[in-house]
Amino acid sequence: MSTPAPPLLDVQHLCLSYDGVRDAVKDVSFSVAAGSIFALVGPNGAGKTSTLRMLATLTEPGGGTLRVDGLDVARDREGVRRRVGYLPDNFALYDQMTPVDYLDFFARCHGVPAPERARRADRLLEELDLTQKRSSPIRALSRGMRQRLGIAKTLVHEPKVLLLDEPASALDPAARGKLREVLAGLKRRGLAIVISSHILPDLAGLADAVGIMEGGRMIRAGAIDAIARSAQQARTVYCLDVGAHVDRAARVLDDFGPRLVRVEHAPIDGGARIEVELLGGDEAVADLVEALVLRGVRLHRVAPRESALEAVYRASASGAVA
Amino acid sequence: MSVMTAVSAFTHRAARRSARLSLLGYSALLAGALVLLASWIVAHAEEPPGGLCTWDYCKQVTPLSWSVLELSDLGAVAVLALGLLVIVPALVAAAVAAERRAGTLDQLRTTPLSPFALVAGLVAGAPARIYLLLVGPLALHVFCGLTGVIPLSTMISTTAVLATGGLASAVIGLSVALAPRQETGGALVALGVAAALGGAALLGAGVAGQHEFAGWAFMHPGGAIEAALIGQDGLARRLVASPWRLDQFDRADFVAALALSPLLSCLASLATVALLGAACCRKLAAPQAPLLGKPQAILLFTGVAAGAIVPAHALVPRPIGQCAVGGLALLFTALLMPFGALLGLFATPTFESWAIALRRRSRVRWWSDDAAPHGAVWAMAAVLVALVVATFGVGDSLSDVCSYGARVPFVLGWVALTVASLPVFVMFGATRYATAAARWAFGVATMVHLFAQAIAIGVAIDAAHPRDHLFVQIAVVLAVAVPAWVAFRQRVLRCSTIAA
């Protein structure tokens, strides 16, 4: 029987305070295995960026331990830096350089040998769809391209752990889609990836585990499926398009009982949409749909309003999931 | 990660291989232009009548044979000095400020490059374009030295001063850009560095040609270069020294001061590089820490103060008139203590570090990064007093000062109080205000207060009955009341910080 591989990134009881009173990060623990994505979610000011900066060796932790590929950050900072790629939220680019020169410069800084530098730059530019812009000034690139170039920079020394701080903020939908493709590819290559974001749809379907931060604390962390199940057991928000049968549907909802927490009506083309928040997860939804159909309500569409990740976040933030 | 890796990366970033050849070509053109300009000047200088020979200096020079190469060499040295002592540090400061603003400095800190390698890369590699442009003038200068156009010793000493001085200036530029808590405007920082170093170079060059002040020439590489050039009887001396003061070159003490300046300058530059280089390394390793440790600040102050005070004894002709020593001591205090306060500011913790130390309630030693700067600034004041007494002697100092009679204790006490209050302002400015604008405003208000105090002290020294003077009375009250109020506000801040 084989023992499971140790996680590439292991964070235990991480703490940070900038002024000795307010904790930017307090007792945060999580681990990330190779080939998986850990989503660090939470509102602005939750401590996500502070956590990532400590992981990237930019800020000295106030307490706790950080291990990357078995190396303790406090003891072998240089070794950790060789294994970690960090992309800040502003991408940190040299506007006057070209993408190929930018990658070459950071490859040199990481001590990548000369023959390998050009090969890696070409490969990364191709993988991230930037080959056509390889000799354009970085200032002329779109925000999506700048973000992909930033990711290419973090990969130039072939790290094992990737830290991305709000990579999708202010990107258009096409660029976000491209980012998802890139991240999925990196995950398949076996990188351990930590992404911080407060835009949950960007991470839905991509992250394997989630850590929800609020006020510097990790209020919930674990495999996303497990948390999602428990969250959905607690509360689920569904959208029901009921066409013209609004009144009939309203009567069914009135009779549905205490499992119905909240109802909101919104007019749409050709009828009405009802948003319901239910206790009891999928079973409660099935019961409600059955009741509506039996009372002659024609349902045009039944869909969850939010992704599993959003449900987890909402439930955790409201304290519905212990 | 080796220093060479960093230097190579930064050099390549600043000037790619293809650009290097072009820059070397421009550099050769620059050297050629210097020779052509020298030829034109020499041709006109030797053209009688009129031309440049109507100029007073040329009347002195005419008896010498003008040499095109010697004049080109002077031009080359001037270009090298301008490039290395003014433009390079400004460029380094601008580059680092821009890196901070763009967030790329943090990216560099995530690479395996050590802080020392980063400092080396930023200083040696980032201004690579300027270095390459200066290759031509440097080659011209070396050629003139090797072919006997100028003495070989002059070429060696000027080159050494340029190399060490350039390095020190670049490290100063780097320190200035790293020192502020928030990044500041790159262009503004670069302009400030260029203006300050350019002004210092002109001042240094100005004092080298005057036998009374030549002892201070080593304080800036510009002065040491001029000392090396005019130390030999050649075109440089005839062009730079006032025609009616050529006889001063017969004075043994002046000649010795000129001869010693390049060596002292190299040593001073290397010491500056060591101290400020270490400061930059610690700032890159821990950006939340102040630029200077307390011992570093005191060492830096001691070096600068010794360089400023000691030559006053060794090289200024004796006897100094009565009261001159007391006046000099006050002058040195007025010049050096604001510099000491500035160093103290660079060694003062941010509010956050200070607050963490307070809330831990552990005992903070005065030399700790989290400690208030009082101990360091007072130590600097003690160093200043020690240097003045050691340079001029206790007897001389006291007897001169004693000529002020009964005012002595009053004036000395007042000066001591003003100096002692400096760290109170430094600490409050660093910890009380969150924004750069507020800190600047407080700094300007403090400067106005100190300037008024300096004027009032001057009035007190000159006035027959200073205590009857209304301005002096008000200033004395303010000398006590203002620092007391600031200290009280600091106390309130301290209590509220602990209680938070």
Side-chain angles (χ1 to χ4, degrees), chain B residues 223-383:
Chain B
I225 290 167
E226 177 141 334
L229 289 173
I230 65 175
Q232 306 292 332
D233 190 10
L235 196 57
R237 181 185 290 183
R238 300 295 169 137
L239 282 173
V240 170
S242 302
W244 55 89
R245 300 198 69 182
L246 285 175
D247 57 337
Q248 66 183 339
F249 290 95
D250 297 333
R251 298 173 63 105
D253 57 346
F254 182 46
V255 172
L258 292 181
L260 209 55
S261 281
L263 177 65
L264 288 177
S265 172
C266 288
L267 293 175
S269 293
L270 290 175
T272 306
V273 169
L275 265 173
L276 287 183
C280 291
C281 284
R282 63 182 243 128
K283 188 71 177 168
L284 282 170
Q288 76 282 2
L291 177 72
L292 297 169
K294 307 285 191 298
Q296 280 176 320
I298 295 169
L299 264 176
L300 200 56
F301 179 83
T302 304
V304 173
I309 295 171
V310 172
H313 171 75
L315 297 170
V316 174
R318 309 281 293 175
I320 304 172
Q322 279 290 310
C323 307
V325 170
L328 271 179
L330 285 177
L331 180 68
F332 283 132
T333 305
L335 288 176
L336 289 170
M337 278 323 294
F339 175 66
L342 185 69
L343 293 180
L345 182 65
F346 287 152
T348 303
T350 59
F351 169 77
E352 288 79 10
S353 312
W354 175 68
I356 286 177
L358 273 184
R359 286 161 181 161
R360 266 194 221 123
R361 293 178 187 274
S362 56
R363 190 177 169 194
V364 178
R365 305 279 184 181
W366 70 267
W367 59 84
S368 151
D369 279 349
D370 299 330
H374 296 62
V377 175
W378 290 338
M380 291 181 209
V383 166

Side-chain angles (χ1 to χ4, degrees), chain A residues 4-318:
Chain A
L8 271 181
L9 177 65
D10 187 30
V11 179
Q12 296 299 326
H13 310 296
L14 193 63
C15 296
L16 177 70
S17 173
Y18 291 113
D19 61 3
V21 169
R22 285 161 296 178
D23 291 314
V25 176
K26 187 165 188 182
D27 199 21
V28 165
S29 301
F30 63 91
S31 58
V32 188
S36 65
I37 296 180
F38 185 87
L40 209 51
V41 299
N44 291 330
K48 306 185 297 289
T49 297
S50 297
T51 303
L52 287 187
R53 284 181 65 84
M54 284 188 279
L55 299 180
T57 73
L58 287 172
T59 305
E60 191 90 30
T65 56
L66 278 171
R67 286 185 176 278
V68 175
D69 197 17
L71 300 178
D72 191 336
V73 171
R75 290 186 184 167
D76 188 359
R77 194 163 283 234
E78 189 182 318
V80 168
R81 285 174 177 172
R82 289 181 192 283
R83 288 162 173 79
V84 170
Y86 170 60
L87 179 70
D89 55 354
N90 67 350
F91 312 145
L93 306 169
Y94 294 109
D95 280 349
Q96 75 282 7
M97 292 177 92
T98 63
V100 71
D101 287 341
Y102 178 71
L103 295 181
D104 180 74
F105 172 63
F106 275 99
R108 284 170 185 267
C109 288
H110 279 282
V112 178
E116 185 62 21
R117 282 198 300 267
R119 267 201 301 274
R120 280 195 201 173
D122 288 343
R123 180 172 53 78
L124 286 168
L125 289 174
E126 191 182 334
E127 282 176 12
L128 293 160
D129 206 11
L130 289 166
T131 306
Q132 289 194 334
K133 297 285 182 183
R134 54 178 291 133
S135 300
S136 306
I138 291 175
R139 64 174 170 272
L141 301 186
S142 68
R143 187 169 171 88
M145 289 175 181
R146 292 167 71 87
Q147 174 243 44
R148 294 206 300 278
L149 180 60
I151 292 178
K153 193 278 299 176
T154 62
L155 296 170
V156 81
H157 58 293
E158 299 192 333
K160 293 182 173 181
V161 175
L162 204 55
L163 309 170
L164 307 176
D165 191 4
E166 302 282 359
S169 61
L171 290 186
D172 61 37
R176 286 187 189 185
K178 182 74 190 170
L179 172 66
R180 289 174 64 89
E181 282 176 30
V182 169
L183 292 177
L186 295 174
K187 183 178 164 182
R188 280 195 298 274
R189 274 166 44 185
L191 271 76
I193 303 172
V194 181
I195 306 178
S196 87
S197 183
H198 59 272
I199 305 171
L200 301 182
D202 294 332
L203 305 172
L206 195 64
D208 303 283
V210 64
I212 299 167
M213 293 190 73
E214 201 169 88
R217 291 169 181 274
M218 185 77 85
I219 55 175
R220 184 140 179 96
I224 206 160
D225 293 340
I227 300 181
R229 272 195 301 276
S230 62
Q232 283 172 340
Q233 283 302 312
R235 286 183 183 189
T236 313
V237 179
Y238 267 76
C239 293
L240 312 170
D241 289 359
V242 294
H245 300 160
V246 185
D247 296 337
R248 213 178 286 174
R251 281 195 293 277
V252 174
L253 292 171
D254 286 344
D255 298 341
F256 193 67
R259 285 186 295 173
L260 186 65
V261 178
R262 181 175 62 87
V263 178
E264 276 180 27
H265 293 256
I268 57 170
D269 284 346
R273 171 173 294 166
I274 301 173
E275 192 174 286
V276 292
E277 188 171 345
L278 295 162
L279 288 173
D282 292 346
E283 193 180 332
V285 177
D287 291 347
L288 179 60
V289 169
E290 187 183 359
L292 287 167
V293 171
L294 287 175
R295 298 278 283 271
V297 176
R298 183 170 176 192
L299 289 169
H300 297 263
R301 179 170 166 266
V302 179
R305 193 199 64 176
E306 54 192 7
S307 65
L309 186 60
E310 288 171 290
V312 168
Y313 177 61
R314 185 178 49 76
S316 300
S318 65

Side-chain angles (χ1 to χ4, degrees), chain B residues 378-391:
Chain B
W378 290 338
M380 291 181 209
V383 166
L384 179 69
V385 172
L387 280 168
V388 166
V389 170
T391 305

